[in-house]
Amino acid sequence: MKKNDYSVVEIIDINQDGEGIGKVDGYTLFIKDTVVGDVAEIKVIKAKKSYGYGRLVKLIKPSEKRVAPRCPVARQCGGCQLQAYEYQEQLRLKEAMVRNNLDRIGKLSEYSCEPIIGMDNPWRYRNKAQFPIGRDKSGNLIAGFYAGRTHSVISCDDCVLGVEENKEILSIVMDYMREYYVEPYCEESHSGLVRHVLIRKGYHTGHLMVCIVINGRQLPHGQILAERLAVVNGMKSITISPNQERTNVILGKEIISLWGDTTIEDRIGDVWFEISPLSFFQVNPVQTEKLYAKVLEYAELTGHEVVWDLYCGIGTISLFLAKKAGKVYGVEIVPAAIDNARQNALKNEVDNAEFFVGKAEEVFPEWCKKNKTHSGDEVAVQVDVIVVDPPRKGCEEGLLQTMVEMQPERIVYVSCDSATLARDLKKLEEMGYRAEKVQMVDMFPQTRHVETVVLIQRKDT
């Protein structure tokens, strides 16, 4: 097939990106917005030698698995790749995807896989949203989200995954911008002022935070905007973040207060956190508690263990572990995150957690070197459990080697990408460890993403 060809295909499977898979005379096509079981007319938009990409033109026979998306711009936005599937089918697809990667990429077979943990209500779960501000083709001021694989703003002031207060807050900001002729940012010309509106809500506290990201240092009539936002029930923090760079990074490096505090509070389980606009904090608080409970279960802590938490971030998992462990060491390459981790440890009166800035594969050997005995021998290091929660790209090979050299009895691996997880599990298997238990947690309903927790045991224990 070639670009601009039309064809009728039946969707027989789904890929890692949530795109439907169909075949025409053996030629594979990946088609966004289709559901397994659909019969659809499609147009080829990109063609390679053995596969291509198609655009849905018309549904000829909708799948029995298809449901009407709750969001009116679900197709244009592209943030919810699975919203056209009934929720139980979403869970089944995610579970099958993870199992397939573990079996095919990881070559794993002897592990137990528990049923995926879903949500009772898979809507309105996100405690954070970042809305780009722009203009539509008619010049109207709009807030929303970027269309899939573009930086064109799709108008949407009430994402069904976000909290209900988002709509009220955006309405206040947009009315203020119209009234005072405050221009939205334009990427092409690097002109205009307001780039994004970040909104956060504390799930347990109800605290609200608004941060206006601007292409400048000051917000005209900012105090008037702050006064209008301050009356929203739960409002605790209103700030601006100057970002004058030509970049895809949303927030600037500085936070300037307009009203209230620069942080809000929330908790995960019984651990409290101060959250700034710059803080990383899990976006689904309900499922985060289930995820961390599974990490604790797999860690099998009795109160005496030494635990290393690699990629510890602001210490969310570290502080959970510290409640049950003898000593926890957290490692994170981002200095600001380690500052937050130390502050959160003080806030929760945790005195058995220590945090280091740097790469784990560099920090651990350096730590051993500094902790030599008086005779000059390196101290015998007790490492009972390692918890690792890497970014989507997984662990670097050097880190996996460092983890094995630490010789923990158990490794608990938390992953947001089951393909790189499977790759790393295969390597750990070759290094003397085996995956024993797997638990998936649906942290992001309506999307293709899923978190997976794996208990990895040393083979000689």
Side-chain angles (χ1 to χ4, degrees):
M1 300 196 74
K2 59 184 185 296
K3 186 177 179 180
N4 296 325
D5 280 354
Y6 286 81
S7 186
V8 173
V9 299
E10 180 180 359
I11 306 303
I12 58 175
D13 205 348
I14 184 174
N15 71 2
Q16 301 275 350
D17 294 325
E19 297 168 326
I21 302 173
K23 289 184 181 289
V24 179
D25 297 329
Y27 185 83
T28 301
L29 286 164
F30 302 107
I31 305 142
K32 181 179 171 289
D33 304 314
T34 57
V35 167
V36 174
D38 280 344
V39 177
E41 181 184 358
I42 64 96
K43 178 182 179 181
V44 178
I45 56 175
K46 183 185 291 187
K48 296 185 177 290
K49 185 175 181 180
S50 58
Y51 68 93
Y53 294 87
R55 178 175 61 82
L56 174 63
V57 176
K58 181 173 64 176
L59 278 175
I60 296 172
K61 182 182 177 184
S63 169
E64 293 179 356
K65 298 174 181 177
R66 178 178 282 276
V67 297
R70 193 176 288 194
C71 173
V73 295
R75 183 173 174 183
Q76 300 98 303
C77 170
C80 293
Q81 303 86 6
L82 302 183
Q83 204 178 124
Y85 285 96
E86 188 270 331
Y87 185 55
Q88 290 304 312
E89 181 64 15
Q90 292 182 32
L91 296 179
R92 191 196 69 76
L93 288 169
K94 291 182 182 185
E95 192 167 311
M97 185 187 311
V98 174
R99 283 177 176 269
N100 180 58
N101 282 334
L102 295 182
D103 298 344
R104 182 176 54 83
I105 301 172
K107 309 297 183 186
L108 305 179
S109 55
E110 298 179 5
Y111 65 91
S112 65
C113 189
E114 303 176 60
I116 187 170
I117 299 174
M119 296 193 73
D120 294 333
N121 178 18
W123 306 97
R124 300 289 183 191
Y125 61 82
R126 287 189 62 96
N127 59 15
K128 174 186 174 184
Q130 298 173 136
F131 295 89
I133 309 299
R135 293 194 181 277
D136 63 17
K137 293 179 180 178
S138 301
N140 300 308
L141 189 67
I142 56 172
F145 300 101
Y146 292 127
R149 298 172 181 167
T150 77
H151 269 210
S152 299
V153 180
I154 300 296
S155 180
C156 178
D157 62 359
D158 187 25
C159 171
V160 292
L161 303 190
V163 298
E164 293 179 341
E165 289 90 343
N166 288 345
K167 185 173 184 177
E168 178 183 3
I169 290 167
L170 284 175
S171 177
I172 292 171
V173 173
M174 304 292 273
D175 286 346
Y176 146 82
M177 290 180 67
R178 293 185 190 98
E179 182 177 347
Y180 291 100
Y181 302 99
V182 177
E183 281 296 308
Y185 178 67
C186 174
E187 277 190 9
E188 289 78 12
S189 62
H190 193 52
S191 62
L193 186 63
V194 176
R195 301 176 72 136
H196 281 80
V197 177
L198 179 150
I199 305 171
R200 265 187 154 138
K201 182 179 181 180
Y203 176 77
H204 292 284
T205 62
H207 292 176
L208 285 170
M209 163 189 290
V210 176
C211 181
I212 314 295
V213 184
I214 59 174
N215 179 38
R217 296 287 307 172
Q218 292 184 327
L219 190 66
H221 309 285
Q223 287 305 313
I224 293 175
L225 174 61
E227 289 168 8
R228 294 176 182 179
L229 289 171
V231 301
V232 177
N233 187 40
M235 190 64 66
K236 294 291 181 182
S237 171
I238 304 170
T239 60
I240 59 173
S241 177
N243 182 359
Q244 295 174 269
E245 302 293 325
R246 286 183 177 266
T247 175
N248 291 333
V249 177
I250 292 175
L251 287 160
K253 297 177 181 179
E254 185 182 4
I255 301 298
I256 301 171
S257 176
L258 286 182
W259 178 90
D261 302 320
T262 55
T263 62
I264 59 173
E265 285 189 333
D266 203 11
R267 64 179 173 85
I268 302 173
D270 60 354
V271 181
W272 285 88
F273 298 92
E274 282 194 7
I275 308 162
S276 81
L278 296 170
S279 297
F280 171 80
F281 196 71
Q282 293 281 8
V283 300
N284 186 334
V286 173
Q287 294 298 86
T288 297
E289 294 194 10
K290 297 174 184 176
L291 178 74
Y292 287 5
K294 187 56 65 171
V295 171
L296 276 175
E297 178 189 324
Y298 283 2
E300 299 178 30
L301 302 178
T302 63
H304 305 288
E305 291 82 3
V306 174
V307 183
W308 282 74
D309 179 15
L310 312 181
Y311 300 102
C312 70
I314 65 169
T316 47
I317 294 179
S318 299
L319 298 181
F320 260 75
L321 297 166
K323 299 279 187 176
K324 302 286 185 180
K327 179 74 174 184
V328 174
Y329 297 98
V331 184
E332 170 61 53
I333 199 169
V334 181
I338 289 296
D339 290 340
N340 286 339
R342 290 169 178 156
Q343 292 165 6
N344 288 325
L346 290 172
K347 185 178 184 66
N348 288 276
E349 299 181 347
V350 172
D351 58 7
N352 62 333
E354 190 173 347
F355 297 97
F356 303 97
V357 176
K359 291 184 175 182
E361 57 267 37
E362 297 173 359
V363 167
F364 180 68
E366 184 65 26
W367 185 88
C368 292
K369 186 177 177 181
K370 287 182 178 178
N371 286 273
K372 289 180 180 293
T373 62
H374 291 297
S375 64
D377 296 328
E378 287 191 6
V379 65
V381 180
Q382 175 192 354
V383 181
D384 300 299
V385 180
I386 292 177
V387 175
V388 59
D389 184 6
R392 190 164 299 281
K393 66 180 181 179
C395 297
E396 295 180 9
E397 188 142 4
L399 177 58
L400 293 176
Q401 187 63 49
T402 299
M403 289 163 59
V404 170
E405 290 170 0
M406 293 163 81
Q407 284 293 294
E409 291 184 22
R410 291 177 297 284
I411 299 170
V412 182
Y413 194 133
V414 183
S415 171
C416 59
D417 188 303
S418 59
T420 57
L421 167 66
R423 179 203 67 200
D424 290 349
L425 291 178
K426 186 174 186 292
K427 292 177 182 176
L428 287 169
E429 175 84 19
E430 295 165 354
M431 296 177 183
Y433 284 80
R434 65 177 180 272
E436 289 203 341
K437 295 181 181 179
V438 175
Q439 175 69 73
M440 288 156 263
V441 181
D442 188 24
M443 293 279 285
F444 312 102
Q446 319 307 326
T447 81
R448 64 183 177 86
H449 304 292
V450 60
E451 294 278 328
T452 307
V453 189
V454 183
L455 169 60
I456 305 161
Q457 200 83 29
R458 203 168 67 212
K459 289 181 181 179
D460 60 3
T461 58

